[in-house]
Amino acid sequence: MKKAIFGLLLFVLTVQLSFAQKMNAVEEVKELSKLKWQWMADKNVDKLAALFDDKSKFVHMSGTWKKNEELDIIKTGRIWYKKADIHDVAVEIVGDVAILWNRITLTADVRGNDAVTEFTVTEVYKKEKKEWKMLAMTFSSVRDTHKIEH
């Protein structure tokens, strides 16, 4: 009987620890995504280069490209992500992968013209050692009534 109670207690503690670690990962990824938007606004390509995996891909309304092109676009200001107003965030953790959905209103300077666009942005991260690396970011143009299902 004592072994059964001990086993049950150990199981409950393990489940609680796992849940706490998952919630901590969710908060880490949310904060990292928020920082990423600021780094993009600040054109801080050094921080972004460290965040973006070398094989990362970026899907925009005008095309899909890899890490170096995205960094060049930000550095040169071809797209200046001036401000991302975040309306909603959802995160799912699957093993060492995090998928984050942001509902944003993006104010960006595109080729000298300001554009304000509603997007749901999907970001995929993978934890490597102790750091999260972004694998993909996809912009999906949506209506301002679009909702992310939690």
Side-chain angles (χ1 to χ4, degrees):
M1 182 68 165
K2 286 182 182 180
K3 286 183 180 179
I5 292 172
F6 178 74
L8 182 60
L9 181 61
L10 186 60
F11 174 74
V12 169
L13 289 174
T14 302
V15 168
Q16 285 180 334
L17 179 61
S18 176
F19 180 75
Q21 287 174 336
K22 193 172 191 176
M23 292 310 297
N24 188 36
V26 166
E27 292 307 314
E28 279 181 38
V29 172
K30 280 183 179 180
E31 182 60 25
L32 186 57
S33 177
K34 186 177 172 184
L35 286 169
K36 176 221 7 106
W37 290 118
Q38 189 58 55
W39 297 337
M40 291 171 84
D42 296 341
K43 300 179 185 177
N44 190 335
V45 291
D46 292 334
K47 295 260 187 189
L48 294 167
L51 174 63
F52 299 162
D53 186 84
D54 288 340
K55 294 182 180 181
S56 56
K57 296 243 171 105
F58 301 84
V59 180
H60 292 264
M61 293 169 63
S62 61
T64 300
W65 43 80
K66 297 179 182 178
K67 174 182 178 175
N68 288 339
E69 181 71 11
E70 181 74 6
L71 292 172
D72 187 62
I73 286 167
I74 293 166
K75 183 178 181 178
T76 62
R78 283 186 282 163
I79 300 174
W80 175 17
Y81 301 92
K82 289 181 171 182
K83 184 177 181 195
D85 290 316
I86 302 169
H87 307 296
D88 192 12
V89 179
V91 178
E92 294 287 337
I93 305 289
V94 181
D96 60 354
V97 173
I99 304 168
L100 179 141
W101 297 270
N102 277 312
R103 258 274 300 114
I104 67 169
T105 303
L106 179 65
T107 303
D109 181 303
V110 182
R111 295 181 202 100
N113 298 307
D114 269 1
V116 178
T117 311
E118 302 293 327
F119 287 110
T120 290
V121 180
T122 305
E123 302 171 24
V124 180
Y125 296 88
K126 181 172 175 45
K127 190 141 196 187
E128 295 179 359
K129 298 179 183 164
K130 295 191 182 220
E131 292 184 341
W132 290 100
K133 293 292 225 173
M134 180 184 278
L135 301 176
M137 184 164 73
T138 300
F139 289 81
S140 301
S141 181
V142 296
R143 293 186 179 110
D144 62 355
T145 57
H146 179 83
K147 303 263 188 257
I148 297 173
E149 189 172 317
H150 289 260

